Amino acid sequence: MEAENTPTSNPYAFVFAPSPLLTVTLEKAPDGSTELHVHPGGQGFWIGRMASTLGMDVHLCGPFGGESGTILVDMMNREGVTVHPVETASPNGSYIHDRREGERKEIVEIDPPTLTRHETDDLFSVSLASAMCAKVAMLGGPHCDDAVPTEVYTRLCSDLGALGIPVVADLSGPTLGAALEGGVTVLKVSHEDLIEDGRAKSEDLDDLIEAMHRLHDEGAASVVISRAGDPAIALDNGTIWEVEAPSVQTVDHHGAGDSMTAGIASAYAAGAKFEDALRLGAAAGAVNVTRRGLATGHRAAVEKMAEKVEVRKLKGKRS
């Protein structure tokens, strides 16, 4: 499996994707028949795809093996993402979803295998080499907790920080804690994950603000919390921000958080102010929910939507 390397003048972005997935979705066609859609997936890829849509030269590193791995590398390259594959003995994870009745129904899900020690070492080495020339590094989480050792996130964040590469991470669970140990530039996390992980007492605004401060104390320079249909909140340099995108009709909310992460990272790489990065991130998430594809959209639509996003300072207390 060889990656394509096409020279480009667009900003270089690195994506760490420890769990690339082969996805199959059944859809109902307008005439009532069944359509079958086959796409690459996994959080890292979804973040990378939106970043590519927003004009970044995206380079993704992840493990690929078996028939599914070969197919995934080809499909990712065709979608404008340059892949730096680490070959593995086992095939990639995959799933089949049925969305013919509107809601997603899981038919089959095959978890990715746990990487061996040598595969983990190769993944780290290739990732570090790929990230060294990047203006920004984007870290996606694994599909399941045991897919990759969590300490990889600590080492990768620490080493990228030492090299002066800003890290934008979209994580939860054990990998979130591991990344904080290494230090991240921007941490994006959903309020549901914070509550599930025991990092926030509730969805109450003051509880989430307190959680942001703790995440900052643990190693995140800036923190962004997405709140489903409610305005996102963020902490940067002691300032608390509220981010409200226009209320649009939701076709599929999946991929909105990944799109937001990509938007923030893309703006950050371009040298934008933090509040402008929040605008682009919220706009990317809003455009995504109007479509069925995860982390998809058109750049012009995202940039126009960003003009409609409100970013305002909040007064938040810390207990």
Side-chain angles (χ1 to χ4, degrees), residues 224 230-234 241-248 260 263-264 274-288 301-313:
V224 180
D230 294 324
I233 56 174
W241 301 90
E242 185 176 57
V243 189
E244 186 170 11
S247 179
V248 295
M260 184 179 201
I264 291 170
F274 185 73
E275 52 264 47
D276 290 332
L278 293 175
R279 286 191 181 89
L280 189 64
V287 168
N288 172 85
V302 173
E303 291 176 345
K304 197 66 179 177
M305 183 72 75
E307 298 175 7
K308 309 292 184 181
V309 174
E310 294 185 22
V311 178
R312 48 188 175 263
K313 293 182 180 181

Side-chain angles (χ1 to χ4, degrees), residues 18-25 37-43 46 63-72 75-76 90-98 104-114 142-144 147:
S19 298
L21 301 174
L22 181 65
T23 74
V24 179
T25 307
H37 298 266
V38 181
H39 294 289
Q43 188 186 27
W46 289 320
F64 296 87
E67 295 177 348
S68 54
T70 301
I71 294 169
L72 280 169
M75 288 196 299
M76 289 182 180
S90 301
N92 287 74
S94 56
Y95 67 68
I96 301 175
H97 286 178
D98 187 343
R104 286 179 178 268
K105 294 181 181 179
E106 180 183 306
I107 298 176
V108 175
E109 180 160 354
I110 302 173
D111 286 337
T114 301
H143 187 64
C144 51

